[in-house]
Amino acid sequence: MSESLKLRLIKNAGWLFGAEVISKILAYGVIVVLSRTLGPEGLGQYSFIFYYVGLLGIFSDFGVGYYFMREVARNKEGANELLPEVLGFKIVLAVLNFLIIVGITFFLPKPAWMKVLIILAGAEAILTWVSTLFVGLMYAYEITKYEAIARIIERLWAFFVGGAVLYFYRALSPFVIALLTGYGIRELLRIRWGAKFVRKIRVQFRRREWIFLLKKSYPFWLIGLFTLIYYRTDMVMLSLMRGDYETGIYRAAYTLIEISLFVPNIVVSTTMPTTARLWERDKNTVRILFKRSLQVVTGFGVLAFLGYYIFARLGIIILFGEEFLVSVSVLKILAFATPFMFLNSLFASFLNAIGEELAFTKITGLTALLNFVLNYFLILSHGAKGAAMATVVSQGIACMLNVVLYITKR
């Protein structure tokens, strides 16, 4: 691995690491304040709103965002020609997806004020879904500092403005509106900074080109769909099957798990464009890069498991208070899933970057279906603990299958 490549990866990782640390501290600071102000039920309602919108966002991309990033990473000159088609397609998909969210939300067994907040979150999500295309563009050029700054600005807004709104109003509705405003600021910054990497932003709406894009991108959409089922269905199913209180209990434990996930996210974000660019002409460098990434991810995954299991009670009491003590047992169960989560993130990035997205899609689809079935039966019998058990089993099986696929394809 060349010194210039090492320095570039270290620099990009440094920007993302700094942003992730600051963002996580501020983000989970907001969650803690929300939990202590509105209790498990309020946290459960908040979680349902955003996880529900995230889950229904499955039609906002169809994998074109990831395909665009990979292709630009391989050939940066093609960004100016490819962006107009992809951007036009993304805008249409985002608007259609919002209409789907509005239509389904009317039939939800939730109060009217929650439905209004869900629709507002869906409207803001249109901007989010479009802006991620520009994030991918920056990552394809192996530049991460702009995304890091955008995240920090949004988190500062959420912590100070959102925290102040929560303090004075002590209600979920104004707090969610404040958060959505911060998201909007973040997305506009992403678009502005991402636009620097193309000569001019143009939008084209040509259905023939969209068909071509779908043929190339649908495996990435399936992966994204199955990943959403992995990480979103447990919270949504808990809310619909067991209510807001159990959802809040589970979310408190899962919030602590999410804190550690910034480690594989940084590794993936910094190595994926390089892997895609070098795989065809320098496989040896890619293998060395993956080996070192695997060592880092495995080590931190084991440390995360030990930390969560040993200090589960202390962490819950310090951050959420005794009202959330029920979350301790849930966190101890989820701790077993952390090493698998770390490794699955790395394998997903590597296999997609080297062109094995179809094989990886099959694994993700199988384990996502398993996750859904396990969630249904285990939530019925064990509530929040059952959702945690389903996560551990499905993540573990996915990890084993990913290892087998990697061994056969490397």
Side-chain angles (χ1 to χ4, degrees):
M1 189 185 304
S2 66
E3 289 299 319
S4 61
L5 177 58
K6 288 181 181 179
L7 290 174
R8 186 163 61 250
L9 291 174
I10 291 171
K11 181 180 179 180
N12 287 335
W15 273 105
L16 285 180
F17 179 79
E20 283 291 322
V21 170
I22 296 172
S23 297
K24 294 294 184 185
I25 292 173
L26 295 173
Y28 297 119
V30 171
I31 294 295
V32 169
V33 173
L34 173 64
S35 304
R36 290 182 174 271
T37 304
L38 302 180
E41 185 173 353
L43 179 59
Q45 292 167 341
Y46 163 84
S47 302
F48 177 79
I49 290 170
F50 287 100
Y51 273 71
Y52 171 81
V53 172
L55 182 61
L56 288 185
I58 56 177
F59 303 108
S60 65
D61 186 77
F62 280 103
V64 296
Y66 193 96
Y67 169 75
F68 174 73
M69 179 175 66
R70 190 184 72 176
E71 293 306 301
V72 174
R74 291 175 173 177
N75 177 24
K76 294 178 175 56
E77 295 299 321
N80 291 290
E81 300 299 324
L82 190 57
L83 179 61
E85 305 292 348
V86 176
L87 182 56
F89 195 27
K90 283 277 289 187
I91 291 172
V92 171
L93 290 176
V95 173
L96 290 176
N97 204 148
F98 169 69
L99 295 177
I100 291 172
I101 289 175
V102 173
I104 296 177
T105 299
F106 280 115
F107 300 98
L108 277 179
K110 295 291 181 181
W113 65 270
M114 279 190 69
K115 293 181 180 180
V116 172
L117 290 180
I118 289 170
I119 292 173
L120 289 175
E124 192 286 324
I126 294 175
L127 194 57
T128 299
W129 295 326
V130 172
S131 73
T132 54
L133 192 63
F134 293 88
V135 176
L137 179 60
M138 291 186 284
Y139 281 1
Y141 275 84
E142 300 176 50
I143 301 294
T144 60
K145 64 179 180 180
Y146 296 118
E147 170 62 5
I149 295 170
R151 289 187 195 179
I152 292 173
I153 290 174
E154 184 274 321
R155 285 295 86 191
L156 286 170
W157 175 281
F159 186 79
F160 290 106
V161 178
V165 168
L166 195 59
Y167 177 80
F168 286 109
Y169 290 94
R170 293 186 173 272
L172 188 61
S173 295
F175 173 68
V176 169
I177 293 172
L179 291 186
L180 294 177
T181 303
Y183 292 161
I185 294 172
R186 179 190 62 192
E187 316 318 345
L188 292 175
L189 290 174
R190 285 171 164 174
I191 293 172
R192 179 180 178 181
W193 288 330
K196 294 181 178 182
F197 296 89
V198 290
R199 289 191 294 269
K200 183 180 179 181
I201 294 182
R202 295 181 295 116
V203 181
Q204 293 181 350
F205 300 95
R206 295 192 295 191
R207 285 179 292 179
R208 289 184 179 179
E209 295 297 328
W210 295 349
I211 294 173
F212 171 79
L213 287 173
L214 282 175
K215 289 179 179 178
K216 297 290 184 179
S217 67
Y218 81 90
F220 301 119
W221 175 70
L222 291 175
I223 292 170
L225 169 63
F226 299 143
T227 302
L228 277 174
I229 293 174
Y230 258 148
Y231 292 104
R232 301 282 181 173
T233 51
D234 47 6
M235 212 78 67
V236 174
M237 291 176 72
L238 261 175
S239 180
L240 295 175
M241 296 170 66
R242 298 295 288 257
D244 296 325
Y245 176 81
E246 289 244 17
T247 307
I249 292 300
Y250 182 78
R251 177 60 194 271
Y254 202 86
T255 294
L256 289 173
I257 296 294
E258 286 179 326
I259 293 174
S260 65
L261 294 180
F262 80 92
V263 174
N265 289 341
I266 290 172
V267 174
V268 166
S269 298
T270 54
T271 60
M272 182 272 168
T274 304
T275 301
R277 177 169 54 85
L278 295 179
W279 178 249
E280 294 298 330
R281 63 177 185 267
D282 192 357
K283 288 183 172 61
N284 186 56
T285 296
V286 171
R287 292 190 181 102
I288 294 172
L289 179 61
F290 179 82
K291 181 180 178 180
R292 293 179 181 176
S293 301
L294 183 63
Q295 292 169 344
V296 171
V297 167
T298 303
F300 276 100
V302 173
L303 287 176
F305 159 67
L306 294 174
Y308 286 130
Y309 193 85
I310 296 171
F311 301 107
R313 181 182 178 86
L314 181 64
I316 292 294
I317 290 177
I318 290 176
L319 293 180
F320 299 100
E322 295 188 357
E323 192 175 5
F324 284 84
L325 274 176
V326 182
S327 299
V328 173
S329 57
V330 178
L331 178 56
K332 285 189 173 183
I333 296 172
L334 285 173
F336 286 93
T338 49
F340 302 136
M341 290 178 174
F342 278 40
L343 290 170
N344 286 334
S345 296
L346 181 62
F347 282 119
S349 173
F350 176 78
L351 293 168
N352 289 333
I354 67 172
E356 292 296 337
E357 59 270 11
L358 285 175
F360 180 72
T361 299
K362 295 176 183 178
I363 292 176
T364 311
L366 175 63
T367 49
L369 176 61
L370 174 64
N371 180 263
F372 178 83
V373 174
L374 288 174
N375 266 307
Y376 179 79
F377 289 104
L378 291 175
I379 287 174
L380 278 177
S381 56
H382 300 287
K385 290 182 181 179
M389 295 174 193
T391 298
V392 173
V393 174
S394 58
Q395 289 284 349
I397 292 175
C399 187
M400 289 188 291
L401 294 175
N402 284 330
V403 170
V404 172
L405 178 59
Y406 166 73
I407 291 172
T408 58
K409 299 295 183 179
R410 64 178 179 174

